[in-house]
Amino acid sequence: MSTVTPPAARVEQHGIEPIPAPERTSRPRDLFRLSFGGANTFATVVLGSFPIIFGLSFRDALLATVLGLVAGALVLAPMAVFGPTNGTNNAVSSSAHLGVHGRIVGSFLSLLTAFAFFSISVWSSGDALVGGANRLVGLPNNVFTLSAAYAVFAILILTVCIYGYRFMLWVNKIAVVAASALFLLGIVAFAGAFDPSYAGIFGPGADAETAALYWPSFIGAALIVMSNPVSFGAFLGDWSRYIPAETPKIRILGAAFLAQMATLVPFLFGLVTATIIAIQAPAFLEGSDYVGGLLEIAPAWYFLPVCLIALIGGMSTGTTALYGTGLDFSSVFPRFSRIQATIFIGIVAIIFIFVGRFAFNIVQSISTFAVLIITCTAPWMIIMMVGFVTRRGWYDSDSLQVFNRRQVGGRYWFNNGWNWRAMGVWGVSALTGLMFVNLPDQFVGPLGNLAAGVDLSIPVSIGLAALLYPLVLALFPEPADAYGPEGPRFVRAAAPKNTPITSEDAAAEPVTAA
């Protein structure tokens, strides 16, 4: 079969319908570029500073970072296989497990996650750009220059997202190399000031009260790092759907996993520079002003690279977040095309960025909100993975599109469009995870202090979903027609329902599958 790769500068016309086989010309390395590029930014650098802010030594902070990153990458990687399998995004694929109507859970979660991370990206990159320009050429750092920076970022990002996948991929091909080179240039900038023996606050001289906070700080730091790769779970299908279905799954899994491991570059940049700030300018970390601290310790010649990292990184993260937002909104409201949905959500997000930053100053609150959303997204991801295994990776493309076509019925209709098994497990797991959240001064759940202050929200939500969903499938089998011709794996099936696909008009005749 011949393939056709549309030009990068052509506006993408596809919504969430399956990508035609001739246009699925991407490769796993393209998935790597988009996943890595979306995280190779200042937003990730700021997350990399948290282990030091929590008081860990450099050695322990590095260990927490690596553990969190590996765990998050392992949880994330399987979410990349749905796109090539079904040719659509992960929210639509979730219809097979949560039901035709239950799929709105995935759309809603990805919408909120993308909204939060788009905002964080614009804020962090705008602050770094204006701060660097202030030190470099004396540009005033005030509400007007910050507003201009936010506006420029938002408009550039929105433009790239309107053009769509191919243009976004082209931008990231450049951004991955450029941002990585600028981060690595930091070795020259900060090598002389870096002290790997930095002991943090939990050294031999720590009092008993301080020492008791060590494990909560270590685990909390690891979970913050872990949340970064997990946050991409709802979006991988947006990009991997352009990969041919026959591509070996191991290559797709490897690309998704290695992309997150490559983010050690920005994580280590944040970790190393935060260590220097903690020694030379600790007041900045105490005030949660990492960017200000970075500019304080950076040599004058590195101000320009800081500005470039902010510009390039902000574009990468913002486009990967907002593209998925527009795509999902168009899937929930099919009357909107992908372009219309992207413009609408982009305008709303831009308004939110300015109101949230200047009217209510909710920058820290939106970061907390992102953690809460990820706690709810993680069990949804686990349900998808368990479902993929029990379905033997087989899906009915026509039944997946029932919601988008405003139809009813099909293999995934279950109980009036809801699969109460998956919905129930997701609800219990997400709610229980939220009860274990422990974000001091922001949000502490009813059970947040049960483990001596350790935030167990994500492990609890993931663990419960992994335990409960197979158990529920064993006790309450799904209809046989939800599975492929080979039947289920590891679980048994109930009698088939064979619900025909019809239009929403109850009087309509059954729709013949294409």
Side-chain angles (χ1 to χ4, degrees):
M1 180 183 295
S2 61
T3 58
V4 179
T5 303
R10 179 184 297 174
V11 176
E12 179 186 8
Q13 299 300 316
H14 293 301
I16 38 71
E17 71 280 359
I19 301 300
E23 294 187 34
R24 296 172 68 171
T25 57
S26 290
R27 295 293 181 263
R29 64 175 176 269
D30 296 319
L31 176 63
F32 174 92
R33 290 189 182 109
L34 284 167
S35 299
F36 178 38
N40 194 29
T41 65
F42 252 113
T44 304
V45 168
V46 172
L47 289 179
S49 70
F50 272 80
I52 298 299
I53 293 176
F54 284 6
L56 298 177
S57 67
F58 174 76
R59 184 196 65 182
D60 290 347
L62 178 60
L63 179 59
T65 298
V66 172
L67 288 176
L69 194 54
V70 170
L74 288 172
V75 172
L76 172 72
M79 296 302 294
V81 302
F82 292 95
T85 300
N86 298 320
T88 187
N89 71 347
N90 285 353
V92 172
S93 293
S94 73
S95 299
H97 307 296
L98 286 91
V100 169
H101 293 149
R103 56 141 294 183
I104 64 174
V105 169
S107 294
F108 187 63
L109 289 173
S110 60
L111 195 71
L112 294 178
T113 304
F115 206 71
F117 278 86
F118 173 65
S119 302
I120 292 171
S121 171
V122 171
W123 284 330
S124 60
S125 296
D127 290 350
L129 179 62
V130 172
N134 173 262
R135 297 297 186 89
L136 187 65
V137 296
L139 179 74
N141 190 339
N142 55 41
V143 65
F144 300 107
T145 53
L146 286 172
S147 296
Y150 297 156
V152 168
F153 273 118
I155 292 172
L156 287 176
I157 290 168
L158 182 58
T159 301
V160 173
C161 291
I162 289 172
Y163 274 93
Y165 172 80
R166 299 291 174 188
F167 194 53
M168 186 171 65
L169 180 59
W170 179 79
V171 169
N172 273 274
K173 285 180 179 179
I174 300 172
V176 163
V177 176
S180 297
L182 292 168
F183 278 130
L184 293 175
L185 187 62
I187 296 175
V188 179
F190 300 107
F194 173 57
D195 180 10
S197 65
Y198 172 73
I201 66 173
F202 300 109
D207 56 37
E209 184 178 355
T210 299
L213 296 175
Y214 172 77
W215 283 113
S217 299
F218 182 89
I219 295 175
L223 290 179
I224 284 179
V225 174
M226 180 182 176
S227 70
N228 198 54
V230 171
S231 70
F232 284 87
F235 307 131
L236 286 190
D238 299 344
W239 319 318
S240 65
R241 66 195 183 123
Y242 279 92
I243 298 175
E246 61 272 15
T247 304
K249 297 292 188 292
I250 189 65
R251 293 183 58 201
I252 299 170
L253 291 169
F257 179 82
L258 292 176
Q260 295 306 314
M261 295 310 300
T263 61
L264 273 172
V265 173
F267 270 115
L268 286 177
F269 183 91
L271 185 59
V272 168
T273 51
T275 301
I276 300 172
I277 296 170
I279 296 172
Q280 297 185 1
F284 286 95
L285 294 188
E286 293 170 2
S288 300
D289 184 11
Y290 165 79
V291 173
L294 175 65
L295 295 172
E296 180 68 22
I297 65 168
W301 65 266
Y302 198 68
F303 293 152
L304 178 58
V306 167
C307 293
L308 293 175
I309 290 172
L311 181 61
I312 296 170
M315 286 285 292
S316 297
T317 299
T319 52
T320 52
L322 191 61
Y323 174 79
T325 306
L327 194 63
D328 260 315
F329 191 80
S330 68
S331 72
V332 176
F333 300 97
R335 288 185 176 86
F336 284 86
S337 68
R338 183 196 64 82
I339 298 171
Q340 293 170 329
T342 299
I343 293 174
F344 175 75
I345 291 296
I347 292 173
V348 173
I350 291 170
I351 294 173
F352 175 80
I353 285 170
F354 282 92
V355 173
R357 178 64 173 85
F358 298 117
F360 297 105
N361 194 23
I362 60 172
V363 176
Q364 186 177 8
S365 296
I366 200 65
S367 301
T368 301
F369 175 70
V371 173
L372 300 180
I373 291 300
I374 291 167
T375 301
C376 295
T377 302
W380 175 82
M381 294 167 60
I382 297 299
I383 289 170
M384 292 277 287
M385 296 175 204
V386 172
F388 187 91
V389 172
T390 59
R391 303 286 174 85
R392 300 180 185 271
W394 186 94
Y395 294 86
D396 178 31
S397 179
D398 199 46
S399 293
L400 288 176
Q401 297 292 328
V402 164
F403 181 93
N404 314 319
R405 297 170 181 162
R406 287 298 182 258
Q407 298 170 329
V408 299
R411 291 176 180 269
Y412 310 128
W413 188 243
F414 298 108
N415 298 93
N416 295 315
W418 303 90
N419 186 357
W420 61 266
R421 304 162 188 83
M423 289 293 296
V425 169
W426 171 75
V428 169
S429 302
L431 181 60
T432 306
L434 291 175
M435 294 175 69
F436 278 90
V437 170
N438 190 318
L439 299 172
D441 301 324
Q442 286 293 305
F443 181 89
V444 178
L447 303 178
N449 292 310
L450 194 63
V454 176
D455 187 330
L456 297 178
S457 55
I458 296 178
V460 165
S461 63
I462 288 177
L464 268 181
L467 175 67
L468 292 179
Y469 192 44
L471 180 62
V472 169
L473 289 180
L475 296 176
F476 307 97
E478 293 177 332
D481 50 334
Y483 299 95
E486 296 183 28
R489 179 191 284 136
F490 302 133
V491 296
R492 56 196 176 91
K497 288 196 170 185
N498 298 322
T499 308
I501 297 177
T502 66
S503 69
E504 285 190 317
D505 181 358
E509 293 296 323
V511 178
T512 302

